[in-house]
Amino acid sequence: MAKIGNIDLGEFPLLLAPMEDVSDPPFRAVCKENGADLMYTEFISSEGLIRDAIKSRQKLDIFDYERPIGIQIFGGDEEPMAMAAQIAAATNPDLVDINFGCPVKKVVSKGAGAGILKDVPKMIKLTAAVVKATSLPVTVKTRLGWDDDSRNIEEVAERLQDVGIQALTIHGRTRTQMYKGNADWTLIGKVKNNPRIHIPIFGNGDISTPEQAVSAREKYGVDGIMIGRAAIGYPWIFNEIRHFIQTGEHLPPPTVLERVRVCKKHLYHSIAWKGEIVGILEMRRHYTNYLKGLPHIKDFRQQLVTYKTLAELEEVLDAIATQYKDHIFERTAPQITEDDDLPTDNEMEHCNVYG
C-alpha cells in the first residue's frame, strides 16, 4: 500500500500529472470520475501567490470530490517558497508538491523548476524550508538530472528524503532532453530499490498503455505511476490501467457516445468554473484529443474551435455522436507517437504540459 503521510492511496496508485493549462478543476473532474487516485493543481508560482496574482490564486481552487489532491508550487528562493506553502496550506489541500522538473527556459532561468538541478544544495535548502513551513505532507516532482553528465537522481532522492519529503515522483528525462526521446526508467528503478529509500517513489514518462504500466510496476518496482499527456482527451486511461492490473484483460475502448458524454461534462465544468466566454475558449485545446481516431473529423473539429456559444457546441457534439455512433475503435489506449513528445510553440511557453 502506498501512503503519503496519513493519506492511504491503496495499492499501486495512478496519479494525474500537474500540467500547466491542462489539469485545471474541469479536467481533474473527468479524470477523477475515470479512476485517477491522486491529482495535483497546475503548478503555481510562489512569487505570484505572494503578489496575490489573480491567475495564481485561482489555481488554488480545489473541491472535495477531487480528494486526495495536492497543490504544486515552484520558485527559486526559500522565503517566497515557504510563504507560498503556507498560503497553499490555508486552502486545505491534502499535500503540497514542489516542482523541480519544469524545463522551460523562462522558469529555469530564474533557478526554479528543473533549473535548480544545477544546484543540488540549494534544492535541498529550499525543500527543507517548505517542509518546515507547513504541517502538510510535502512531496517533490523532478527529473533524472540536468543533463547526461549529471544524472544524479539517486543522490538527490536520498537528500530530499533526509529533509522530510514524503514521496518523490521522477520523470525519466533530463532537463536538456526536454520532452524528446524516450523516458529512461532505469534510474527510477534504482532509486526505488535503494535500501536507504523508504518513501513512495512514483515513475513518470511515456506511460500510455496498460501494458506499459504493468511493465513499469514489475520491472522497476515503483509504488505507482504518474500519467500526463496520455490522459489529455482520454481520461479513461486510469480505469483501463486499473482493470488490466486486476484482471489481465482490457476494457473495451470508450464508444463515441461515451466520448461525447465526457467531453460535454468537461465543457460544462469549464464554463461553470471560468464563465462561458473563457470556459468555451480554453476548452478548445481538448477537442482534438477527445476525437482522435475518428475519420474525416476535420470539419467538426473546426466548428468546435470556432463556435462561441454552448448551444452551438452542444449541437456539434450531438451531430458527432449521431454520425459516428457505429464507429468501432480498435485501440484500448491513446496512441502516442514520437511527435507527441514535442510540445507546440504555444505549449513551450508553459511548463509540464505533458507531465
Side-chain angles (χ1 to χ4, degrees), residues 35-304:
D37 295 307
L38 173 63
M39 305 186 295
Y40 300 83
T41 63
E42 302 167 79
F43 79 155
I44 305 173
S45 164
S46 58
E47 299 285 353
L49 281 182
I50 294 170
R51 293 195 311 269
D52 203 27
I54 293 175
K55 185 173 183 180
S56 294
R57 288 281 178 167
Q58 187 182 34
K59 291 179 181 179
L60 291 174
D61 287 354
I62 56 176
F63 302 90
D64 283 341
Y65 62 78
E66 300 180 289
R67 297 188 184 279
I69 186 166
I71 290 178
Q72 189 186 73
I73 59 176
F74 77 97
D77 296 301
E78 293 177 41
E79 185 175 353
M81 283 289 281
M83 292 177 64
Q86 293 172 339
I87 294 170
T91 66
N92 197 30
D94 297 286
L95 59 89
V96 173
D97 187 74
I98 306 174
N99 181 313
F100 288 145
C102 174
V104 174
K105 184 177 179 180
K106 68 179 182 181
V107 174
V108 169
S109 64
K110 297 177 181 179
I116 207 166
L117 289 169
K118 293 192 290 185
D119 189 347
V120 173
K122 182 179 179 181
M123 174 195 283
I124 303 308
K125 289 181 180 179
L126 193 153
T127 303
V130 172
V131 170
K132 291 177 183 177
T134 177
S135 61
L136 290 172
V138 174
T139 63
V140 164
K141 182 170 188 255
T142 189
R143 289 181 170 235
L144 300 179
W146 176 258
D147 56 24
D148 282 339
D149 295 325
S150 58
R151 292 156 65 95
N152 54 359
I153 188 60
E154 292 180 84
E155 173 199 350
V156 166
E158 290 183 0
R159 295 181 67 177
L160 289 171
Q161 178 180 266
D162 288 345
V163 295
I165 72 164
Q166 298 192 41
L168 176 65
T169 300
I170 305 169
H171 180 87
R173 292 181 174 88
T174 63
R175 187 273 170 178
T176 56
Q177 282 183 272
M178 303 296 286
Y179 298 97
K180 298 178 181 179
N182 297 320
D184 179 3
W185 281 66
T186 304
L187 282 178
I188 300 176
K190 287 184 177 180
V191 172
K192 171 55 194 173
N193 293 291
N194 181 339
R196 275 208 61 207
I197 296 295
H198 57 78
I199 60 174
I201 301 298
F202 304 120
N204 173 230
D206 298 349
I207 299 295
S208 62
T209 69
E211 289 88 348
Q212 289 171 333
V214 169
S215 177
R217 182 189 192 188
E218 294 179 350
K219 187 172 182 179
Y220 302 105
V222 291
D223 296 287
I225 57 173
M226 178 178 282
I227 298 170
R229 66 185 185 276
I232 301 175
Y234 202 85
W236 303 275
I237 187 66
F238 299 100
N239 277 336
E240 289 184 355
I241 290 174
R242 176 71 60 212
H243 184 81
F244 189 78
I245 288 173
Q246 293 174 345
T247 69
E249 299 177 351
H250 286 286
L251 284 172
T255 64
V256 171
L257 291 178
E258 170 66 3
R259 289 167 188 256
V260 168
R261 182 192 72 81
V262 173
C263 186
K264 279 185 176 182
K265 182 172 184 176
H266 192 167
L267 174 61
Y268 298 151
H269 274 286
S270 185
I271 291 173
W273 187 58
K274 304 172 184 178
E276 184 166 358
I277 294 176
V278 176
I280 287 175
L281 180 65
E282 295 193 355
M283 185 65 190
R284 291 175 178 176
R285 63 173 62 96
H286 295 280
Y287 293 123
T288 295
N289 292 285
Y290 275 115
L291 303 176
K292 187 177 291 185
L294 293 175
H296 312 297
I297 196 68
K298 183 177 179 180
D299 289 343
F300 281 128
R301 190 170 62 232
Q302 185 61 36
Q303 292 170 5
L304 289 170

